[in-house]
Amino acid sequence: MIHTRFGLRSSITTLRKKQEVKQCHIVIINDMDLYKVHPVSNFLYEKKGSKYNTLKTKGQIIVRFLNWFVENHLTFRELEARLSTLSFNKVEYYINWLVSEGKSKSTILNNQLTLKEFMGFLIRNGIINNKETVQEYNDRLSNKSSSFFQLYRRPNPRQTALVHELNLNYIISFIRLAIKHTTPIALGVYLQFFGGLRRGDCVNLTRSSVKSKGSYGEFGLELDIRERNLRTDLKDFDGTDGVKKPRIQVVFANRLLPLIYEQHSKTYDDITGQDALFVDKNGFPMSGRTYQQQFNRLKKIFIEKLLQSDNLEASSYGLYLSNRRWSTHIGRGTFSNWIAESTGNPLDVAIARGDSNIESSLSYMEQSETFLNGVNEVLNKMYENAWEYE
């Protein structure tokens, strides 16, 4: 008997102007890993103008729900799982199951919003034509005073806490641990904390996209960040590999940068000839997924060091971080935080992050004595107050 499951696949299409566009597809996959696009992919196709990562997130939510429905249809006394038999009590059963599994508040909300859209899609396209379900959908849409889906349990607030930035006193130690334990991404971690890069920005960098000021970034770096699609060989192109905002990004220098950049440049080479700055253990351009795995390892080591510390403040901070959610984006959040601390001008933060469209942003940062003095003051404090691990 051949078993099938729903999955998500991506494709890259080249338009007339040689612009590459990524598209998500909801597919049916069999035991031999062969797949075909399922008609519900139209749910994603209809969302023209949506960014790839947004479509990928919605697609993942639909795929997980459909696979859950296929696996649990007997719970609803149905001999087989049919889209036409989907109803609100089944969707609510699933959402409340997610709550019971301890999913975060944001995850629950994203599932509610996407599955609401999905039910509307199925009804509009006549896939669900049960009169009671259609009527219930319309009634729920018109009822603005209550939630579209009923939650019987509320997410635990402890599970929803998200850390956006790292305490400035621990940044230097975090990067030193990266140099020692996760060397392939140590430079990337630095770029995130001192240049505000996202994970996707890092894995799209090439050696030629890095402009050094002084020897090995002694006075900083300028990065040409844009989509380069360095891993087109991957079967399922990962949305975390993408660049959200192409830009020229300044990376600020402290005494660690020349050491990390020189070590990285002399250690890692892209064997594919694409000149990727970050490579995996096989010498191929690093994917966002591999970068994330390396970061997760670094995060675990960092928390363990904190918890083992005899310093009460450090061990307490370790306990705090261990009970909250944080990932690679904490580098960008921390970057924004310390830039904000070094200047009272929100425009400085926007320019430093690459959020501003001001054409002269680079020269502005380089020529603003007040801005640079503030940055250097904070950088010095990071070293003066840095926690030292054993």
Side-chain angles (χ1 to χ4, degrees), residues 112 140 143-151 154:
Q112 286 179 292
R140 293 190 182 213
N143 187 358
K144 306 296 183 182
S145 61
S146 62
S147 175
F148 195 80
F149 294 112
Q150 181 66 43
L151 290 184
R154 296 293 173 184

Side-chain angles (χ1 to χ4, degrees), residues 12 22 52-53 56 198-205 225-244 285-292:
I12 300 178
K22 290 178 287 185
Y52 172 79
N53 283 352
K56 181 173 181 286
R198 300 177 178 87
R199 174 178 50 194
D201 297 336
C202 291
V203 297
N204 272 280
L205 289 173
I225 299 176
R226 52 191 168 90
E227 194 89 26
R228 291 184 169 89
N229 294 330
L230 300 175
R231 288 304 301 269
T232 54
D233 61 301
L234 290 179
K235 184 176 181 180
D236 188 6
F237 194 81
D238 193 344
T240 61
D241 293 356
V243 170
K244 187 175 182 180
M286 186 176 290
S287 68
R289 185 171 300 171
T290 299
Y291 190 102
Q292 180 66 58

